[in-house]
Amino acid sequence: MPHMEETNKAKERINKDFKLLVDDAHALLKATADDTDKITKEARDKLAERLSEYRERYSYVEDAIVGRAEQVDHFVKDKPYQAMGAALGVGLLVGWLFSRK
């Protein structure tokens, strides 16, 4: 299952990057917590709200990506010749599109 291993590694990298981004945003929020400037407070509130939204979206996207990757993996294992044909067709289409001027 080399494809699933690659998918899991990519998922882990995305998780790690997202967590680093969230940690950095939280650190910024904490660093500016004592700042009473109105603009800074509004920016902090907006950032906190966006972080909350992105966490929800990210969990949904993560589940969708993993689900699709598993579907593709099963399709390729069950129907390898059809998968190769589909890949060939897509490759020809992309090549044709790029060759046009």
Side-chain angles (χ1 to χ4, degrees):
M1 288 191 177
H3 298 293
M4 288 305 294
E5 288 178 26
E6 291 174 14
T7 302
N8 287 334
K9 286 180 184 178
K11 178 184 161 189
E12 289 172 11
R13 281 193 307 267
I14 290 170
N15 278 335
K16 183 179 177 182
D17 291 345
F18 184 74
K19 287 177 183 176
L20 285 173
L21 176 64
V22 170
D23 290 344
D24 289 345
H26 281 292
L28 178 61
L29 287 173
K30 286 180 184 178
T32 60
D34 294 334
D35 194 346
T36 58
D37 182 35
K38 181 180 177 183
I39 295 172
T40 304
K41 183 181 179 329
E42 289 174 2
R44 279 188 19 251
D45 292 344
K46 195 173 194 177
L47 178 60
E49 182 180 322
R50 292 283 161 88
L51 281 172
S52 168
E53 290 174 13
Y54 290 145
R55 279 189 188 140
E56 286 181 32
R57 284 187 200 163
Y58 177 73
S59 66
Y60 170 76
V61 169
E62 178 185 16
D63 293 342
I65 289 172
V66 170
R68 297 285 186 216
E70 289 173 354
Q71 287 177 347
V72 169
D73 189 53
H74 290 297
F75 176 77
V76 169
K77 286 181 182 176
D78 293 342
K79 301 175 182 179
Y81 294 111
Q82 289 177 341
M84 287 189 305
L88 176 66
V90 169
L92 289 173
L93 179 65
V94 169
W96 177 74
L97 289 172
F98 281 124
S99 68
R100 293 179 41 184
K101 291 184 180 183

